[in-house]
Amino acid sequence: MGGVDRLEATRALVELLTHELVVAALGNPAYDLFLAGDRDENFYMWGAMGLAGSVGLGLALALPGRRVVVLDGDGAVLMNLNALATIGSLRPANLVHVVWDNGSYDLTGGQPTAAARGVRLAAVARACGYDPVEEVEDLAAFRACMKRALADRRGPWFVWVRTLPTRPREVPLEALRRRWVQLEPFMDRAQGRGAEGPLQGQIR
Amino acid sequence: MSTQPLRPGAAGPAPSGAQRPWQRLLLEALQASGCRFVAYVPDSVWKVFLEEAAGWPSVRLVPLCREEEGIGVLAGLFLGGQRGVLVTQASGVGNCLNALGSLAIAQRIPVVMLVTERGGLGETIPSHLPFDGRLARVLEAMGIACYPVQETGQLGRVVQGAFQLAYTCRTVACVLVSPWVTGPGA
């Protein structure tokens, strides 16, 4: 059985990004995004487990011309499975929902999630109306999939990624703390303000 | 309650505020507040409002499966430069408590909730009692202020005030709409 190192995959994703907005779920998805490449276009959740997809939906509705990527985890998605039904049925075409699935609550000691007991989140997403839905288990496939998802005008995309158990790494919590509460840089980039001026034609 | 369609401008010269349907006053207040998205989980009391909102040109409805999602959606809208409102019954706010605390309050994201109250005098369903009528005290314990609307004539000012408060001070405001305004729920 394959599997992707989440931090490596997040680095591969960050390399592909230009102006896309990224919402990362609390805990490991946010830590890895910060480590892979902090940028003004990143929004790091601090709490509200299970609501990263909903924040992404709000952003996608507010900015229909902008591609929005959500980085989520299996435990978080399972906590608010209903959000998949809302997103899938409303079909925001500019949303790309990535779910790292290692089948465990890594941050609390590795207890297995329902995904480890056989719940297939990609099948749930497909049933909720996400389209396309992709399932990837290695880094090359993930990179290729994200390249297509970022360039696409269809959506909402659901990208299910089998990930390996989290490797120990230093998480710069103090630096992240500032990013959790200073939302203006993200809002400026999202709303096309700031040094680079208004953004146009963000969907390539 | 009026059976007239509540379209903007459809009723000719506006009658005095107190006589106009509360649903229309609310839609006008949302428009005046720059609120373009109504995220909701329905309540029988909101039925006519939601039907009218669907035809209101400046409003987009966002139907949710669970109220908590609305706090996330409103956060995303705010980050993207738009204003939304969460419309729910009081019990639904109970489904939002962690999101209010760990997203809206923790990251100082403005949220306006429009909540229909039940569970007061004349209530017949016991399951409405724990949150309804006591919601203000629950939210107060979290540091969230509630603004009750007891008369239809107050509705517009309270809603506009709640938006101004929430979006300039980056806080959470809960507008509690009394059955005296909406009529009883089913």
Side-chain angles (χ1 to χ4, degrees), chain A residues 43-44 46-48 51 54-55 57-59 61-63 80 82-83 85-86 90 180 183-184 186-187 190-191, chain B residues 37 60 62-66 68-69 72-73 75-82 98-99 102-103 106-107 109 170:
Chain A
F43 177 70
Y44 306 93
W46 205 356
L51 287 186
S54 304
V55 173
L57 172 62
L59 267 172
L61 290 171
L63 302 164
N80 234 348
N82 42 280
T86 299
L90 292 176
W180 274 322
L183 307 184
E184 286 78 7
F186 179 89
M187 293 171 68
Q191 297 169 37
Chain B
F37 294 85
R60 167 139 190 214
V62 184
L64 309 168
C65 299
R66 177 180 165 87
E68 185 184 19
E69 298 168 34
V73 169
L77 288 168
F78 166 70
L79 293 169
Q82 293 285 345
N98 180 53
S102 68
L103 177 59
Q107 296 190 280
I109 289 170
R170 304 238 323 236

Side-chain angles (χ1 to χ4, degrees), chain B residues 94-174:
Chain B
N95 285 343
C96 297
L97 294 184
N98 180 53
L100 285 169
S102 68
L103 177 59
I105 294 175
Q107 296 190 280
R108 290 195 60 217
I109 289 170
V111 166
V112 177
M113 298 184 285
L114 291 174
V115 181
T116 40
E117 262 198 310
R118 296 186 55 157
L121 287 175
E123 180 60 62
T124 57
I125 303 176
S127 60
H128 279 299
L129 267 57
F131 268 106
D132 301 71
R134 300 170 196 168
L135 180 63
R137 278 174 284 162
V138 173
L139 292 181
E140 188 190 0
M142 296 180 69
I144 295 172
C146 283
Y147 302 93
V149 180
Q150 304 284 354
E151 293 170 30
T152 305
Q154 303 169 333
L155 187 60
R157 274 176 298 161
V158 174
V159 168
Q160 289 192 57
F163 269 93
Q164 195 168 344
L165 170 71
Y167 281 83
T168 56
C169 301
R170 304 238 323 236
T171 186
V172 180
C174 178

